Every structure is written in C-alpha cells, then in structure tokens.
Amino acid sequence: MKKLVSMTMAMAMMAALFVACGDDGTDDETPPPAVPTIALDGGDIDQPQEITNPMSVKIGVTAPGAIAGFTVTIDSPALTAEMLAAVGLAAELNLVNPGSMAEALGALGFPSGEAVSGKTALTFDISKLVPMIAQIYNETSDHKFILKVTDAKGKSTTKTLTCHLTGKVALAYNNDADLWANTATVTAANVPDGGSVQYRVKGAADWTDAVLVEGSKYRLAPVYETSKNAAGLDVHTIKAGTGVFAATTYEVRIAKDGRRRQQGVRHGGRG
C-alpha cells in the first residue's frame, strides 16, 4: 500500500512539472501587439512616386500601441538644409516635439504635437509640398522623406517615401546663325547623362551631333569630308545635310540611346 501511494505522488509531481513548464503566462492564440504601419494612400510607398502637378501624397499611419515618436528625415538636393532653415524647418523633423517648427510644419501639411502624440492612427497630406520641388529644382533626381514611427512599447517602423523628379529638357535657338561659317548655336537645358543634342535638315533621314561649346550651349556646325582632286591635292567639302545654310529649316532634338527626348525647329538664313 505504501509503495502504491509513493508511486501516485510521484506521478502527480511529474504532471505538475509538465504543466508548469508549458505555462508561460501567455495565450498561444493571442497575437503579439501590432507594430506601427506607414502607407501611401492609393499607392505603394516602397515604389518611387513621379512628381507631377497636381499629385496626391497622403500618408496613413497606424500605431495600436500609441505613437510616442515620429520623425521625418528629408534627403533632397532641392530641399537643402539652407533652404529648409529659411522657412523655419530642418532636415530632421520631430513631429511629436516640433518646438518652434510647429507652425511651419502645419503650413506644409505635417501634423505635430498633440495631433500626433498618443494617437493610434492619423493621416496627413503633403500634396502641396511635393510638387513645389519641381518649381525650385529642374534636374532629374530623387527626393526622399524617411518616416520613422515608434509606439509607446518601443516598437518602430521606418518607411522611405521617394519622390522622383524627371528634369524637363528644353531647347532654345540663340538667334546667332553665322552663314559665313555655316554655324548656329542652341541652348539645351538638362541633357540627360549619355544624351546628345542633334540636328538635321527638316525631314531628312540622318541626324548630326551638335558640338558642346560650354555649359548648356551647343553649336550646329558643318562636318567636313576630304577627297582628292585631279592634281592629287586634298579637297575639303561640307558633308551634305550638315552645317547651317540660308533658306533652310532645321530640326534640333535632345536624344539618348537614339530616342528623342525634346525637339524644336529653327530656320536658317537669319544670321
């Protein structure tokens, strides 16, 4: 009988031990607290957004654990530290503790202070801010807004909103045709890397590369071919379709990889 009681007690202790080891005080079916989320309304925040005017840039944030920290880091060749300082802002923005920047943040669409701290969800609209980049900068570039949200439990999420600006190429004839030298110049802004300025007689099949003079100034110049005359001397003649001549209409374009980016027309005979 004594032996039976001892065995029963031993089995009960083992059962209690198994229960204690398996009980960690959590419910296996209860999901862990959700981390904050940052999303672009109507788009994919992980993909570059082309800057247009108008455009919609609305950011939605959720933080079930309540927002304790929200920072925005601006990495932009247009929105430099100097330019931001001129409007009362900085490249590092703290939306929970904005300090003296609260008014300037609000003017650009960013919430701050009590409108952010402790919130479990919020949406803000910077649809007016982003298109302004194209008004102060005109080179192909990326402009990044690095958003970091931290909740009261220390969980954080970081997303980078990349806004891509495609620089607008532009062509302008400088009204300086020299019919003695058979040349003229154009100004070409924002020629892409690897691109070129080309010209041709209107409707012709072949394009000729213009010559970069300096900066954004290009010369439409003749291409010379060399041949021998009857006396065996070198004779230099202008290759057909190159150079600028009176009473002739020319087409000028900016091209890359053989594809037109921008095109204009000018007329010869006005120099």
Side-chain angles (χ1 to χ4, degrees):
M1 180 67 177
K2 184 176 180 180
K3 185 176 182 180
L4 178 60
V5 171
S6 297
M7 291 178 64
T8 303
M9 291 179 64
M11 293 177 65
M13 291 176 65
M14 290 178 66
L17 179 62
F18 282 125
V19 171
C21 289
D23 185 3
D24 60 1
T26 61
D27 185 345
D28 291 340
E29 296 184 358
T30 301
V35 298
T37 65
I38 306 171
L40 176 64
D41 183 25
D44 183 352
I45 198 169
D46 294 321
Q47 297 298 318
Q49 306 298 311
E50 186 69 25
I51 296 177
T52 60
N53 191 11
M55 68 182 298
S56 176
V57 189
K58 297 179 181 178
I59 308 296
V61 175
T62 65
I67 297 175
F70 193 167
T71 60
V72 180
T73 302
I74 300 174
D75 180 7
S76 164
L79 304 175
T80 61
E82 293 76 14
M83 179 164 289
L84 290 168
V87 295
L89 295 175
E92 301 283 341
L93 307 174
N94 188 326
L95 301 189
V96 171
N97 298 300
S100 61
M101 299 183 188
E103 184 176 353
L105 286 169
L108 295 177
F110 290 102
S112 63
E114 295 181 354
V116 177
S117 182
K119 301 297 182 182
T120 57
L122 61 84
T123 299
F124 60 96
D125 188 349
I126 53 174
S127 300
K128 293 183 179 180
L129 167 62
V130 176
M132 289 172 59
I133 292 173
Q135 297 176 16
I136 60 175
Y137 202 77
N138 193 32
E139 295 183 18
T140 298
S141 49
D142 286 334
H143 306 265
K144 299 179 180 181
F145 298 84
I146 304 167
L147 314 171
K148 182 178 181 180
V149 178
T150 304
D151 68 15
K153 297 182 180 180
K155 296 181 179 296
S156 65
T157 296
T158 301
K159 288 287 185 180
T160 298
L161 171 66
T162 300
C163 299
H164 180 75
L165 177 66
T166 300
K168 294 181 179 179
V169 295
L171 283 169
Y173 168 48
N174 295 323
N175 197 32
D176 60 355
D178 180 346
L179 298 181
W180 288 102
N182 302 113
T183 63
T185 67
V186 296
T187 297
N190 298 314
V191 177
D193 290 340
S196 62
V197 176
Q198 301 176 328
Y199 72 98
R200 69 179 180 183
V201 175
K202 185 177 181 181
D206 297 328
W207 292 88
T208 300
D209 286 341
V211 179
L212 176 62
V213 179
E214 60 179 357
S216 58
K217 186 177 181 180
Y218 290 78
R219 177 176 290 113
L220 284 57
V223 175
Y224 287 91
E225 296 179 320
T226 302
S227 61
K228 297 287 186 180
N229 62 13
L233 300 176
D234 288 339
V235 176
H236 303 284
T237 55
I238 295 176
K239 181 180 179 180
T242 72
V244 175
F245 293 84
T248 307
T249 300
Y250 294 87
E251 295 173 308
V252 184
R253 71 177 186 177
I254 294 175
K256 182 176 181 180
D257 300 326
R259 301 178 63 183
R260 177 175 63 86
R261 295 299 185 91
Q262 178 78 10
Q263 187 164 319
V265 178
R266 69 158 302 277
H267 297 273
R270 296 182 181 178

